[in-house]
Amino acid sequence: MSAARYTESDVRRLAGPRSYERGLGYVDAVGPLHVDSRRISARVQGTERYSVALEDEDGLRAACTCPYGEDGHFCKHCVAVALTALREADRLPALREEAVMRDAALDTWLDGLGRDELLRLVRERLAEDADFKNKLALRVAAAGGDTSAVRADITALLDPADFTQYGYIAYEDAPGYAAQVTRAAQAIRDLAADGHGAVAVAVAREGIRRVVGVYETADDSDGSIAEAAEDLERAHLAACFAAPPDPDETAQWLIDHCLGDGGEYLEVEPADYREVLGVQGLAALRALAAEAHRRNPSGSAERSLLESLARAVGNLDELIAVRAASLEANGYTHLTIAEELDAAGRPDEALEWAERGLRHAAAEDERPHRGLVDHLAAHYARDGRPADALTVRRDHFQSDRSLHTYRALRTAARAVGLWDTERPPALEQLRVDAEGNRKRQWGGAVLIDALTDDADFDAAWAAAPGLATADQLLRLADASATTRPAEALAVYTRQIESCCRHTGNGTYARIADLLTKARACHEELGTPHDFTAYVARLRTEQKRKRNLMRILDHRGL
């Protein structure tokens, strides 16, 4: 069984830099972790004691009872619990196993309860949880055949009025509305399962239209409404399977959705409806799509629809014809066609299209798409044509001198034993580029990255003055700390001094990381006492930063 199913990068991305930095200071305030098969929960002592729940089965999600968390944000308390779970990752499998055993024991207990005891438990839940009560009320209405009541309840769930206090759905209100849309989707599934599939189809289409309209007045930056809308569309498809609607009418609905405003906000894959449409409906849909494309041959929605239908019927040549009618200048379209042909077991045609894409990019005076070059070079290598692969890589390096193209050139040249011949002119070109761009380096000179990647550290340190950025120097220091500890230590020390001019738990964690690296350099140099003195001096100078002192203590620095 796996441990944590997410990474620290996931936490940082979901929280944002501000909440992430604040969360670092709350790690010590996290109580015991409670883990089950899908959820990790704990209490965090903040201004008050807050409850945090993480779900990490299909991507990391979090909820917290603090005001910021209740608005749907991944707050500092969520960060603290998520990081605590990562640090205790080795314990998670055992805790999950214990949770499975507890769940099994609970199931056994429930199986042994009588009818009256179960009813008492349900009634207690109904009295405590209004949301649970509403869900059951929907099931009762559907089971009783009162479809008009169910329809009204679903319509109410999709009404955004309670979330549009400013005339639109604000970012902080989007998750609340999304939750209601998800409930509506489940109600539609229940309606179809209870034998009212035709009504469920109609209600789902009304709901999709309503939610699409909401997008125009909603800040859905976190994607919660989009995700709920996709669930609504899946509920519609399930209803269609439960009670297949008229195929011609369904074809028209799909066309109207995909080519109207709905297609812009909620992507529906017509191929998913193939069984629902049947032969008649699929033919009708293809005819409608072809006519729409004839009227608007440059429309991306029309082209995408034709591609989807070609995939639905398994007609690769038709798919290629659609794509070939609108070729991108850099050869990317050629690449997608080549990939489709390769997947279909037609490698000769795939190679022809990839080569054609390279020629097309040259004719358009465009830098070829990187993926196209990678695809073509891999084809040559598989076909036993390493010299051709090297030629392609060399030409690409000439037009796009980056670390990626340098690495690719190195791999191709080594395959034919020519790297010693290819490397000097390639480095010379990078050196000329670096000198010419000395005053406008953004990501730093590619020359430094290439030499570091080659593990030619002496040459990289020699070229670094005036060319390397701070990030490049850090990467170089990390790569060569054991062989060039004095140079690496100087880089780490400068970065520590720079970080000390700023505040924030993220900065403090970075200082601790750099100090750890600096300690390793001192050990290589045989000067551990100098490091001890340096840390003592830094602690004295920064003693007012209590969170920094706490982090240093935690790291043993």
Side-chain angles (χ1 to χ4, degrees), residues 20 92 170 182 245 268 274 290 296 300 422 431 473 493 533:
Y20 182 82
L92 296 185
T182 300
V268 171
R274 182 175 180 177
N296 185 22
S300 60
E422 294 287 337
R431 187 170 286 105
L473 286 172
T493 302

Side-chain angles (χ1 to χ4, degrees), residues 332-346:
Y332 176 71
T333 316
H334 295 78
L335 168 63
T336 65
I337 293 172
E339 289 174 335
E340 295 280 359
L341 287 165
D342 260 334
R346 295 160 62 175

Side-chain angles (χ1 to χ4, degrees), residues 193-372:
D194 288 330
H196 304 288
V199 176
V201 170
V203 174
R205 291 182 184 177
E206 291 172 9
I208 289 171
R209 178 184 56 79
R210 186 65 179 270
V211 174
V212 165
V214 167
Y215 267 112
E216 299 177 359
T217 56
D219 180 353
D220 191 36
S221 301
D222 72 344
S224 58
I225 297 178
E227 187 173 336
E230 290 172 3
D231 191 34
L232 187 61
E233 191 274 324
R234 289 192 293 270
H236 170 257
L237 181 58
C240 287
F241 275 106
D246 178 78
D248 291 336
E249 185 269 339
T250 302
Q252 188 63 59
W253 180 82
L254 285 168
I255 280 286
D256 292 342
H257 176 87
C258 292
L259 301 185
D261 291 340
E264 180 180 353
Y265 298 115
L266 173 58
E267 184 176 343
V268 171
E269 180 59 66
D272 294 341
Y273 287 80
R274 182 175 180 177
E275 292 182 36
V276 172
L277 290 165
V279 175
Q280 175 186 337
L282 191 58
L285 181 57
R286 296 184 74 195
L288 290 169
E291 175 58 22
H293 185 257
R294 186 190 64 77
R295 291 195 306 268
N296 185 22
S298 62
S300 60
E302 287 80 1
R303 185 171 62 252
S304 177
L305 180 56
L306 283 178
E307 290 184 11
S308 174
L309 292 173
R311 284 194 297 271
V313 298
N315 193 328
L316 178 55
D317 292 321
E318 182 178 320
L319 174 62
I320 291 172
V322 172
R323 292 186 180 175
S326 181
L327 296 170
E328 294 185 46
N330 66 354
Y332 176 71
T333 316
H334 295 78
L335 168 63
T336 65
I337 293 172
E339 289 174 335
E340 295 280 359
L341 287 165
D342 260 334
R346 295 160 62 175
D348 293 342
E349 294 172 81
L351 179 60
E352 181 183 343
W353 270 100
E355 291 175 332
R356 192 186 304 176
L358 211 58
R359 293 194 297 270
H360 182 75
E364 295 289 333
D365 198 25
E366 283 280 336
R367 180 180 296 171
H369 189 274
R370 179 177 293 179
L372 175 65

